[in-house]
Amino acid sequence: MTYNWIKEHIGGIPRDEGTFLTEGAIAEAAGTSRTPAREALLRLEAEGLLQIVPKKGAFVPPISDADMQAAMQARELVESWCIRQVSPASPELLAVLERLLDAQRQLLDDPGAFIDCDRAFHRTIVRHAGNPLLQEFYESLRDRQVRMGLRAVGASKDRAEMVIAEHGAIVDALRSGNPRNAADALTDHLSSTLRALGAVSSAVDLSESPWST
């Protein structure tokens, strides 16, 4: 699928670099026609991964350390509140999260699908918290992070396996019924993600968030 091909290609671009993609070059590299290439670019623009510039192509912008840190800090605030609202977790929520965790175990060699499953895991928790405004804001944050996540998971299978272990810890904490344990497991996971994404040493430690106390 052209969409997945472009998404994985973008994930391989160093985050501190910007580059232009053209329909023609994508069609040739992906072995498809210009129409699916154009449709995929429009979809990726809507997700915030690139910007279509008339007569030039699709621009994939660089991602700064500040952008990355800001997105992760905002995610931690939203997700920590949400996970406290859903703890103790219902059997229905636990079943969905366990299915997604099992799916991730089967996707270690497919970074794009792995990240999609990762997003679904976190989205499920946010949606079960029942705040539609936070859901909308959260989706915009994840759109910003897709490229960063692809880069981290694609560069190391160890990172993907670590994500699975951290997601498992979140599910176990939710099953225990203790909101603080669930929030702590989530914060540990997001802090680990921030380190994996290569943030500078001056990044704010997510464990210092007021939601983790």
Side-chain angles (χ1 to χ4, degrees), residues 156-177:
S156 172
K157 190 173 182 178
D158 289 345
R159 177 55 197 163
E161 292 172 343
M162 188 177 296
V163 168
I164 290 171
E166 291 166 0
H167 280 184
I170 290 171
V171 173
D172 289 343
L174 281 170
R175 188 180 290 110
S176 76

Side-chain angles (χ1 to χ4, degrees), residues 47-209:
E47 293 177 3
L49 284 177
L50 51 81
Q51 179 182 3
I52 295 177
V53 181
K55 299 182 180 180
K56 288 188 176 182
F59 180 62
V60 181
I63 301 172
S64 69
D65 285 330
D67 291 337
M68 184 166 57
Q69 293 167 31
M72 290 302 297
Q73 290 163 17
R75 270 192 64 189
E76 202 276 337
L77 287 172
V78 172
E79 291 191 56
S80 287
W81 183 86
C82 290
I83 204 167
R84 288 172 182 270
Q85 304 311 303
V86 301
S87 182
S90 66
E92 175 191 4
L93 174 57
L94 288 172
V96 174
L97 294 178
E98 287 168 348
R99 284 199 300 272
L100 290 168
L101 192 54
D102 287 339
Q104 280 193 295
R105 294 189 180 101
Q106 307 303 314
L107 296 171
L108 290 173
D109 296 318
D110 188 342
F114 186 94
I115 291 298
D116 286 342
C117 197
D118 176 271
R119 184 169 181 165
F121 181 94
H122 289 269
R123 176 192 287 132
T124 297
I125 295 172
V126 173
R127 287 185 173 176
H128 272 73
N131 187 314
L133 293 180
L134 281 183
Q135 289 175 34
E136 183 178 353
F137 175 56
Y138 180 75
E139 289 301 320
S140 71
L141 292 174
R142 289 311 303 263
D143 286 341
R144 294 169 183 263
Q145 200 194 330
V146 168
R147 179 179 164 197
M148 297 183 278
L150 281 169
R151 180 73 174 173
V153 171
S156 172
K157 190 173 182 178
D158 289 345
R159 177 55 197 163
E161 292 172 343
M162 188 177 296
V163 168
I164 290 171
E166 291 166 0
H167 280 184
I170 290 171
V171 173
D172 289 343
L174 281 170
R175 188 180 290 110
S176 76
N178 187 311
R180 177 170 180 172
N181 288 346
D184 286 347
L186 173 70
T187 296
D188 288 345
H189 171 50
L190 296 184
S191 294
S192 174
T193 299
L194 184 59
R195 290 192 296 271
L197 292 173
V200 294
S201 59
S202 61
V204 174
D205 186 348
L206 294 180
S207 65
E208 295 301 318
S209 165

Side-chain angles (χ1 to χ4, degrees), residues 2-66:
T2 308
Y3 167 81
N4 288 333
W5 186 93
I6 301 173
K7 198 171 185 179
E8 290 192 19
H9 176 73
I10 291 174
I13 300 172
R15 66 179 180 83
D16 58 349
E17 296 181 10
T19 188
F20 272 96
L21 305 176
T22 65
E23 290 179 10
I26 290 170
E28 182 177 354
T32 186
S33 66
R34 285 176 175 263
T35 298
R38 183 181 309 114
E39 292 173 349
L41 288 174
L42 289 171
R43 181 178 171 185
L44 290 164
E45 181 182 43
E47 293 177 3
L49 284 177
L50 51 81
Q51 179 182 3
I52 295 177
V53 181
K55 299 182 180 180
K56 288 188 176 182
F59 180 62
V60 181
I63 301 172
S64 69
D65 285 330

